[in-house]
Amino acid sequence: LNTSMPASVLYPMVNGGIGVLVAIISCTAFREKLTLQAEYRLPKIEDKLVSKIDGTVKYLFRLYDGEFVESVFMRYEHGNTICVSTQVGCAMGCGFCASTIDGKIRNLTPGEIADQVIFAQKDVGERISNIVLMGIGEPLDNYENVLEFLKKAQNENGLGISYRNISLSTCGVVSGIDRLAKENMPITLSISLHAANDERRSEIMPVNNKWNI
C-alpha cells in the first residue's frame, strides 16, 4: 500500500481498530486497497463481568478463529491497569492453573495482545496506563511476539505506555529471562514461585524440573 500519510498519523488510527482507520481515511482508492489487503482480525467482547465492589472488569474475548482469551481491567490510585493474555492455552502444565488443561493451542500475535488493551480502553472509556502480562499463557514461550508487543506498547505513536509501567510474569523460563535481559527494556519482571522449596515446586510446576529455584 502506498500513502503519503506519515506513520505518526496512521499508527494512532490503527490503535483505534482497523475499522476506525478505514472510516477515517478520505482517499477512496487507498481505502479500497486497505479493505482488500488488510486482515480483519479484531477480537469481540464475548462476555464481561463487572465487580460491584471496585469496578474491576473481566473480559472474555473471542478471537478471529473462534478461540478465547481473558483480560482483566483494574482501577488503582496510580492509574488503570490491564492484565493481558499472551497465548491461547498454555504448555507449562502448572497444576493449579486452568489455562493449561488443554495445553497450548497457539500463540497470540503482537496485535492480538495489543487489541486487549485497545478494546478494554475503548469499552471503559478510560486511559490504561499500566500493563501486566499475567493472563493466559507463558509470555516467554511466545518470546518474539511478546517482544514486538512491548515495543509497540511503549511507542509514543502506539499505546504510549512506558516500559516502567509494564510488568511481565513468568513461571521461570530461564532461557527467556536471559534473552529478555539483553533487550535493555526497563520493564518489571515477576517470577511465579508458588512454593518455598524445589521439591514442592516440582510437584506443581513442571518447569522447575528444568529450571529450579
Side-chain angles (χ1 to χ4, degrees):
L1 295 178
N2 295 316
T3 177
S4 60
M5 296 180 73
S8 60
V9 174
L10 288 173
Y11 205 170
M13 289 182 183
V14 173
N15 282 337
I18 194 70
V20 175
L21 178 60
V22 171
I24 292 176
I25 294 176
S26 58
C27 176
T28 302
F30 177 67
R31 186 168 64 246
E32 289 176 352
K33 282 186 178 181
L34 184 66
T35 57
L36 288 173
Q37 297 183 32
E39 293 182 308
Y40 285 76
R41 293 193 169 190
L42 301 180
K44 174 186 177 183
I45 299 176
E46 186 75 8
D47 194 13
K48 71 176 182 179
L49 301 173
V50 183
S51 170
K52 294 181 179 179
I53 298 174
D54 59 8
T56 293
V57 185
K58 183 175 183 180
Y59 292 98
L60 178 66
F61 286 107
R62 177 192 287 271
L63 305 178
Y64 77 97
D65 57 358
E67 298 294 346
F68 295 91
V69 292
E70 294 181 339
S71 310
V72 180
F73 168 84
M74 299 159 282
R75 293 182 177 89
Y76 296 104
E77 291 184 2
H78 59 268
N80 295 326
T81 297
I82 188 167
C83 173
V84 298
S85 297
T86 55
Q87 296 177 312
V88 178
C90 184
M92 296 297 106
C94 298
F96 50 82
C97 184
S99 301
T100 195
I101 292 176
D102 294 323
K104 184 179 80 172
I105 297 173
R106 70 173 178 86
N107 289 327
L108 296 187
T109 66
E112 287 175 321
I113 302 172
D115 279 343
Q116 297 169 64
V117 184
I118 294 167
F119 276 70
Q121 190 167 250
K122 184 176 180 181
D123 182 64
V124 298
E126 300 175 30
R127 172 170 165 73
I128 291 173
S129 56
N130 303 275
I131 301 173
V132 293
L133 287 80
M134 205 176 293
I136 297 172
E138 165 54 54
L140 298 182
D141 187 41
N142 185 16
Y143 188 88
E144 298 298 339
N145 287 340
V146 166
L147 184 66
E148 186 63 25
F149 162 72
L150 292 174
K151 292 177 181 178
K152 292 180 183 300
Q154 187 270 342
N155 192 297
E156 63 179 7
N157 292 318
L159 297 176
I161 297 176
S162 169
Y163 282 139
R164 297 190 183 279
N165 288 11
I166 301 175
S167 296
L168 183 152
S169 178
T170 175
C171 66
V173 180
V174 175
S175 59
I177 294 173
D178 289 339
R179 289 182 68 186
L180 188 62
K182 297 175 183 178
E183 304 291 348
N184 294 317
M185 291 180 170
I187 65 172
T188 298
L189 178 68
S190 301
I191 300 177
S192 300
L193 293 177
H194 292 285
N197 57 68
D198 282 324
E199 181 178 3
R200 177 55 179 156
R201 192 168 191 263
S202 293
E203 291 176 355
I204 59 176
M205 300 181 72
V207 69
N208 200 69
N209 293 309
K210 184 172 184 179
W211 294 296
N212 60 31
I213 295 176

